[in-house]
Amino acid sequence: MQIAARQTRLVRVPDLGTYQQAIAALARDGGVREARRRAVIVPTTAAARQLRRTLEASADGAAFVLPHLVTRDGWYALMHGGVQGAPPLVDAFEREIMLYAAALEARDAGIVPPFGIRARIVAGMLRFYDELRRRDCDLLKFERRIKEELSKDVDDRGAERVARQTAFLAEAFRRYERKLMARGVLDEHTLAVRIRAEGSPACAHVVVTVGDQTAEPGGLWPSDYRLLAEAPGIERIDLIATDRVLAAGLFDELQKQLPGFDDTRKDERPKTEDASLPTLIVPPPAPGDREAPGARSRSGAKRAPRGDELSGVQGTPPLNVWMHRDREEELYATVRGVRRLADADGVLRARAGIVFQRPLPYLYLARRAFEGARVPYLASDALPLAAEPYAAAVDLVLEYVWSNASRAATAALLRSPAFRFEDEAGRLGPADVTEFEQHVLSLRVPGEPESYRAIAGAPPPANPRHVKRQARAARVAAIAERCWTSLGAVANPGAAVGARVDALIAFLQAHEAPPPSEAEPRERHLRARAAILSAIGAIGRAADLHALTLSTDELTATIRRWIEEQTFAPRRGDGGVELVDATAARYGRFDHLRVLGLVESDWPVRPARNVFYGRYLLDKLDWPDEQKRLALAYAAFKDLVCLPASTLALSAFHLDDDAIVGLSPYIDAVSDAGLPRDIDRALAGAETMHFPWEALVARPALTGALEGEAAAWAAQRVERGDLSGDRYRGQTGAFEPGAYSVSALETYLRCPFRYFASKVLKLPEERDDEPGMTPQERGHFLHDVVRQFYASWDASPGGPVTGETLDAALARFRDVAEAALASLPPADRAQERTLLLGSAASPGLAERLLYFEMQLPGRAARRILEERAEGEFEFTGDQGTRTIALHAVADRIDVLEGDGLRVVDYKLGRVPDKDIALQLPVYGLCQSRALSEPGGVTRSLTAAAYFSFNHRYEPKVYEGADVETLLEDGQARLVQAVDAIERGEFPARPHDPRECTWCAYPSICRKEYAGDE
């Protein structure tokens, strides 16, 4: 490294307060000319905003010119602007497309990688290439070091795979560099080479406030230090760092990268600055716990505790951390604590900062928490662009194209409020789309453009009652077919990517719904829309520029990945509580600081895993030591908790996505910092309400504390009167006795409300958007196949299935099944054939059913299939005998040799729980009375069995004493169910709460009441 003549100085500071003062002094040094040629490098744009506010506050109203507050990427862009005649910088879209094309060319040249080339892999390749170059590792060094290491394991299959991968990556990177040169544009690495050769007058003084990239994501790489040392035109470099971070490893790195710097120290702090440590606000000890020494009340004297005093009582969380259930409760508690800082007029005049390591969970929750409590807040971090509603709308279109206009994707697109679809009859409505979807399902045709074209042109049905419904379905089908005509070019892999992208953008613009009318949502929608359309257009232009062809899968995956990778910074007010990440917080000034999420999954940050090489091989490429990274992050956290402020509070939680998480090891850093402590006995204002939902759950509800829509909704709810009566717990009043089906009574035992929705309200079931037969359709089909088989077998040769007749029975079942399968649509035929006849991996229904038949107790003289028993029957319950009208259809009744009966019931899924099973005992009792001969043989149930069509569930067989118990318990349950129905009791009370996940009536069920019974 050739170091040019310049002044290079390290400025050591003891803490972040002095750190900010040192930055401010260097930023204001000199006049306007010097400021305009000075760059202060910060890790993120959020950190730049915090530093700007700190610099403005430290000026005490005096006018001064701010230097360039830039991130690492911003510094490169600033330097590029000063290079005379420099070619333009290539944008990120073209870089990735360029590498995508280079990778495909390398594969076509015979250097085949051990993985498929797709959008996410290419993005990973680009990140790996950038890191190689930023660590000053060229392609020759990369290949040589990996090959040298792999040559030690010549017979290892894994080593051979890694060698092929290395050869492919190196070739793809070389072709990328040649494409870059041929295009005449610069990327970060070629720009650095040019600046080192020619210099850039745009930046004479560089103030580095970040550490090594090992310590923080926005830090500098070895190539950046090389640029600082060698670039002509840079006259002065100031590196600012705290003692803790330098001692953790940054000082050694600086000596390696910039040898010969001046080591200076800044200890003094202006008299106006308070140099005291923040007071750590801690929760009171739990009842029965000892109070840790060193803590004091509001009026007590401060004393710094020892480290062992901060760990709390054995078996309890440390007393210096506020514990909560999850992130949401943690943020709500923090908002309560912030509200207590407001003055008598409710105005928060102090600067309060909420610090987190992972912004996204908290930024998603912040709007509801802060706006609900009427606390203004300012968020500087960006959100994923994919979280914007317009991104979801684009994804619907991509899914429509990718799935070849499947039924589910078509219905989701046409139903979306983000789009408008119209014809001569007006705008399409959700009810029209639902009618169309049900029509496609009923026809059992595949959802694709040809099917929609056929539905749109079908003649009117013969039944006049179906004319209107088919007309609605035909109208929607015509619109769906026109959508495919507009988007067909997007799915054409032979067309240029630019033309396909243009067709996509044209469709989005032609059918998009009007933006929101409110100012803030409208502005946010338009910004997100512009960002997404700009990205899609850039992908198309870059692909055409490099003659890249993409399949439909590759194009949709590339667009989706780019949207997911982009961030979007919504404007979140101009003041109030500041939500900042840990990196940006060290540049801000706060009176009160709250650090959230101190759990092991957040602190320390876990680095992204390299998808190409393991840790051992990366060490050969000069990747940093993990222990060094952890030490630097630990030191940075120590600095953070000592940031000058009046108070500091730390919080953590127990559950993250319903998984238990442990506390962060960084909590020990608080003990080492020696902070004074103050016990907060007010429990963060638990006696005061801060959120609308707190007023709603109060008894009585405090509707006067609500405003806007919440107040209007609460007023309507209060007008309904007392909600504690039986009518709000599933009680409808007495019902007239009627005839019941046994399966319906089992439904009541599973969940009374499901019975009410199906049998009383007669609501249709909500169908899932899944291809293939519905469970109900499959059940009818399988029952019919089994019935036809036994009818055919009983006709000839008849009798039981034995080992000698098993092969003949299997052949007969196969013939019956094939005849039934021929009536199914082709899309369903293969799946149902596997279910019936099995495959090489598992036996089919035929084998399992016949082996089950051979193991049943008793010998059948004849079989009665789907026997119907209707009328009034007597059943014995807890209160005696009562008569109940039933209509029951038994799947199969076997008349056994002698005077016995055997009932067999088929199930599509699991065998019923013994606490709700009715069908076997009721069918047995009804059929034994129906089949008994007057004055002759009295038949009784001697065996019963459940058989599941699903191979995951074993059959259940009852015989002997179990049959008596089955009959006794079944009668009691039957009588109890009928009595409850006739009393009008239909609460949402599932027998098994897991069944709620596949219930057919989720949108109308008040299952939140289930636990209140």
Side-chain angles (χ1 to χ4, degrees):
M1 179 186 297
Q2 183 65 39
I3 300 180
R6 66 203 60 201
Q7 179 187 359
T8 304
R9 183 179 61 155
L10 169 65
V11 181
R12 293 174 174 265
V13 294
D15 53 46
L16 290 182
T18 315
Y19 173 83
Q20 293 176 7
Q21 290 300 316
I23 296 174
L26 289 171
R28 294 196 297 265
D29 188 21
V32 174
R33 182 175 181 275
E34 289 78 5
R36 288 176 175 171
R37 300 184 65 211
R38 179 180 296 124
V40 179
I41 301 179
V42 295
T44 62
T45 54
R49 283 191 286 270
Q50 288 293 327
L51 181 56
R52 179 182 296 275
R53 297 185 64 181
T54 298
L55 293 177
E56 292 170 348
S58 66
D60 294 327
F64 71 99
V65 177
L66 280 172
H68 299 284
L69 306 180
V70 293
T71 62
R72 174 187 175 275
D73 292 340
W75 177 52
Y76 272 84
L78 179 65
M79 297 281 283
H80 173 262
V83 179
Q84 294 294 328
L89 283 172
V90 63
D91 62 44
F93 300 99
E94 186 175 351
R95 281 196 81 206
E96 185 168 319
I97 292 296
M98 202 180 293
L99 182 56
Y100 207 144
L104 294 177
E105 289 177 4
R107 183 195 62 187
D108 295 341
I111 308 176
V112 181
F115 49 77
I117 300 175
R118 53 190 185 275
R120 293 189 183 277
I121 285 290
V122 173
M125 291 171 58
L126 190 56
R127 285 192 294 270
F128 181 62
Y129 171 78
D130 283 339
E131 189 159 0
L132 280 174
R133 295 298 305 271
R134 288 167 181 168
R135 296 193 183 283
D136 281 334
C137 180
D138 59 35
L139 299 183
L140 290 177
K141 185 190 297 185
F142 160 61
E143 262 193 303
R144 184 179 67 253
R145 290 188 179 183
I146 297 295
K147 285 181 178 179
E148 287 175 356
E149 197 58 38
L150 294 178
S151 63
K152 302 173 184 177
D153 300 312
V154 291
D155 296 328
D156 187 274
R157 185 174 299 177
E160 186 273 334
R161 178 185 175 91
V162 174
R164 287 197 295 123
Q165 173 181 276
T166 303
F168 169 77
L169 291 176
E171 180 62 23
F173 294 156
R174 277 191 287 267
R175 289 176 181 269
Y176 159 79
E177 291 177 347
R178 288 198 290 268
K179 286 180 176 291
L180 192 72
M181 186 179 301
R183 270 279 289 134
V185 292
L186 300 175
D187 66 357
E188 167 195 316
H189 315 295
T190 53
L191 172 63
V193 172
R194 183 148 184 170
I195 292 175
R196 288 199 302 268
E198 303 177 14
S200 173
C203 189
H205 181 196
V206 181
V207 181
V208 180
T209 70
V210 297
D212 177 68
Q213 197 276 338
T214 304
E216 55 185 324
L220 299 186
W221 299 80
S223 62
D224 304 326
Y225 288 115
R226 183 182 177 192
L227 182 60
L228 286 171
E230 298 181 6
I234 297 180
E235 302 167 0
R236 180 181 172 186
I237 304 170
D238 286 295
L239 311 162
I240 308 176
T242 63
D243 290 334
R244 291 187 182 92
V245 174
L246 288 168
L250 179 59
F251 184 79
D252 295 337
E253 185 66 23
L254 293 177
Q255 281 190 318
K256 175 183 175 182
Q257 300 294 343
L258 296 172
F261 57 79
D262 296 330
D263 193 349
T264 63
R265 183 170 188 81
K266 178 178 174 60
D267 282 320
E268 69 280 0
R269 184 192 292 268
K271 295 180 180 180
T272 57
E273 295 292 326
D274 181 10
S276 63
L277 293 172
T279 298
L280 182 65
I281 306 299
V282 300
D289 290 348
R290 63 178 176 84
E291 187 170 301
R296 60 159 175 81
S297 64
R298 290 291 182 184
S299 59
K302 295 182 179 180
R303 179 176 73 80
R306 300 189 309 271
D308 60 342
E309 296 174 345
L310 286 166
S311 59
V313 181
Q314 182 69 27
T316 63
L319 295 179
N320 52 3
V321 179
W322 294 83
M323 295 302 300
H324 307 279
R325 180 184 184 276
D326 52 27
R327 292 185 196 270
E328 187 170 8
E329 287 192 5
E330 179 188 36
L331 191 57
Y332 278 128
T334 302
V335 175
R336 291 190 185 97
V338 169
R339 285 202 65 176
R340 295 174 58 212
L341 301 174
D343 58 21
D345 298 327
V347 178
L348 181 63
R349 304 190 186 280
R351 284 193 67 182
I354 296 179
V355 181
F356 33 69
Q357 186 76 277
R358 293 174 57 196
L360 289 188
Y362 295 103
L363 293 181
Y364 286 137
L365 297 170
R367 183 166 189 172
R368 181 169 56 182
F370 282 91
E371 294 181 3
R374 295 186 293 276
V375 175
Y377 74 103
L378 177 65
S380 300
D381 288 280
L383 294 172
L385 185 58
E388 295 303 304
Y390 191 80
V394 173
D395 192 69
L396 288 177
V397 180
L398 295 177
E399 181 69 17
Y400 176 81
V401 172
W402 175 83
S403 66
N404 193 37
S406 70
R407 172 187 55 81
T410 301
L413 175 64
L414 298 181
R415 192 180 285 121
S416 172
F419 298 101
R420 291 178 64 97
F421 297 100
E422 298 175 314
D423 60 6
E424 298 79 6
R427 184 176 180 181
L428 206 60
D432 301 317
V433 180
T434 301
E435 190 69 53
F436 159 76
E437 193 173 15
Q438 294 298 321
H439 186 71
V440 174
L441 283 167
S442 66
L443 293 178
R444 308 295 300 146
V445 297
E448 55 186 22
E450 290 75 11
S451 302
Y452 306 149
R453 191 176 299 112
I455 293 172
N463 191 333
R465 292 182 301 173
H466 298 162
V467 171
K468 186 175 180 180
R469 295 182 59 186
Q470 180 169 320
R472 292 179 70 185
R475 177 194 173 207
V476 180
I479 294 176
E481 199 273 330
R482 286 201 297 272
C483 288
W484 183 256
T485 301
S486 301
L487 289 169
V490 184
N492 181 10
V497 175
R500 298 163 69 187
V501 162
D502 290 342
L504 174 61
I505 294 175
F507 180 86
L508 292 170
Q509 293 174 336
H511 294 285
E512 64 180 334
S517 56
E518 297 84 359
E520 182 182 350
R522 179 185 180 87
E523 183 266 347
R524 180 169 178 166
H525 168 83
L526 293 177
R527 288 178 59 221
R529 174 183 178 277
I532 291 173
L533 295 183
S534 174
I536 294 174
I539 291 171
R541 291 189 296 272
D544 286 356
L545 192 62
H546 296 280
L548 178 65
T549 58
L550 296 173
S551 67
T552 302
D553 288 356
E554 292 167 340
L555 178 60
T556 55
T558 300
I559 295 174
R560 280 173 164 155
R561 197 205 67 78
W562 259 108
I563 293 176
E564 291 169 4
E565 289 286 327
Q566 303 307 302
T567 56
F568 179 76
R571 299 192 175 106
R572 300 276 188 165
D574 299 320
V577 181
E578 297 189 52
L579 276 61
V580 295
D581 62 85
T583 302
R586 70 172 188 253
Y587 294 89
R589 288 186 178 181
F590 307 99
D591 299 306
H592 305 280
L593 203 62
R594 302 290 184 265
V595 181
L596 308 188
L598 283 170
V599 293
E600 59 187 357
S601 59
D602 288 17
W603 306 75
V605 176
R606 297 176 182 177
R609 180 175 172 269
N610 189 287
V611 298
F612 298 108
Y613 297 99
R615 184 71 242 179
Y616 178 76
L617 289 177
L618 291 176
D619 288 341
K620 306 301 178 183
L621 300 174
D622 300 325
W623 250 243
D625 179 36
E626 179 67 9
Q627 295 303 316
K628 175 185 174 183
R629 184 188 71 83
L630 293 174
L632 287 165
Y634 189 72
F637 181 79
K638 284 185 178 180
D639 284 335
L640 177 65
V641 298
C642 295
L643 187 70
S646 174
T647 64
L648 169 70
L650 310 175
S651 74
F653 48 85
H654 296 293
L655 296 176
D656 191 13
D657 290 333
D658 294 329
I660 297 176
V661 290
L663 293 175
S664 167
Y666 283 5
I667 292 174
D668 295 336
V670 183
S671 306
D672 299 339
L675 302 178
R677 304 201 312 168
D678 189 355
I679 295 177
D680 188 347
R681 298 190 182 279
L683 291 177
E687 73 285 351
T688 305
M689 293 186 181
H690 300 280
F691 303 97
W693 57 264
E694 292 176 315
L696 291 172
V697 299
R699 291 295 177 266
L702 304 177
T703 57
L706 303 174
E707 298 176 353
E709 293 183 4
W713 179 87
Q716 293 181 4
R717 192 69 182 264
V718 170
E719 287 176 2
R720 298 177 62 183
D722 183 20
L723 303 184
S724 60
D726 289 341
R727 62 179 297 193
Y728 297 104
R729 295 296 184 274
Q731 184 71 45
T732 64
F735 266 69
E736 290 293 330
Y740 304 95
S741 72
V742 181
S743 59
L745 293 176
E746 271 197 4
T747 299
Y748 182 88
L749 293 174
R750 291 183 185 277
C751 179
F753 181 80
R754 192 191 301 184
Y755 174 92
F756 179 74
S758 174
K759 303 303 179 183
V760 180
L761 298 181
K762 301 187 183 302
L763 298 176
E765 294 187 359
E766 300 177 18
R767 298 186 59 168
D768 293 332
D769 290 336
E770 295 181 358
M773 304 175 76
T774 65
Q776 186 177 29
E777 292 169 341
R778 177 171 288 117
H780 288 316
F781 174 73
L782 295 179
H783 273 80
D784 192 53
V785 170
V786 171
R787 182 188 60 78
Q788 290 182 44
F789 162 71
Y790 279 115
S792 174
W793 180 261
D794 288 343
S796 174
V801 177
T802 64
E804 291 76 15
T805 61
L806 177 61
D807 290 340
L810 284 172
R812 181 71 58 83
F813 193 103
R814 187 175 296 107
D815 293 340
V816 170
E818 289 292 353
L821 288 168
S823 65
L824 294 181
D828 297 335
R829 200 173 298 156
Q831 180 179 356
E832 303 308 321
R833 178 180 286 108
T834 301
L835 178 63
L836 286 169
L837 304 179
S839 64
S842 63
L845 172 61
E847 256 185 276
R848 292 190 301 106
L849 178 64
L850 294 178
Y851 277 111
F852 164 76
E853 172 83 23
M854 294 166 61
Q855 296 168 9
L856 284 174
R859 184 179 178 89
R862 62 191 177 97
R863 298 181 185 87
I864 304 174
L865 305 176
E866 297 192 6
E867 180 72 6
R868 181 178 296 274
E870 295 184 351
E872 294 185 343
F873 300 89
E874 289 186 351
F875 298 95
T876 304
D878 296 336
Q879 305 299 322
T881 301
R882 67 160 292 179
T883 301
I884 299 174
L886 293 180
H887 49 87
V889 180
D891 289 337
R892 174 176 149 199
I893 304 292
D894 292 345
V895 179
L896 304 181
E897 295 177 351
D899 59 357
L901 291 177
R902 183 173 65 200
V903 178
V904 179
D905 194 68
Y906 304 123
K907 294 296 178 186
L908 184 62
R910 66 173 68 245
V911 171
D913 191 296
K914 64 182 180 62
D915 296 330
I916 62 171
L918 289 179
Q919 291 177 323
L920 291 184
V922 174
Y923 291 159
L925 285 169
C926 294
Q927 296 296 341
S928 64
R929 295 165 187 171
L931 294 175
S932 295
E933 300 173 8
V937 178
T938 300
R939 298 193 176 276
S940 60
L941 186 69
T942 58
Y946 283 114
F947 177 79
S948 175
F949 292 146
N950 193 320
H951 66 87
R952 292 179 295 177
Y953 305 114
E954 293 295 326
K956 178 66 176 176
V957 179
Y958 299 89
E959 58 180 317
D962 291 341
V963 175
E964 297 299 324
T965 304
L966 180 72
L967 292 172
E968 181 180 348
D969 293 346
Q971 290 184 82
R973 285 193 298 272
L974 176 73
V975 173
Q976 290 172 3
V978 171
D979 288 345
I981 290 172
E982 293 177 357
R983 289 194 300 267
E985 296 177 4
F986 303 105
R989 188 177 56 211
H991 174 75
D992 184 353
R994 292 176 299 180
E995 292 191 5
C996 291
T997 60
W998 58 80
C999 175
Y1001 307 99
S1003 60
I1004 60 169
C1005 177
R1006 305 295 294 273
K1007 51 181 168 285
E1008 65 268 23
Y1009 290 149
D1012 298 339
E1013 298 299 323

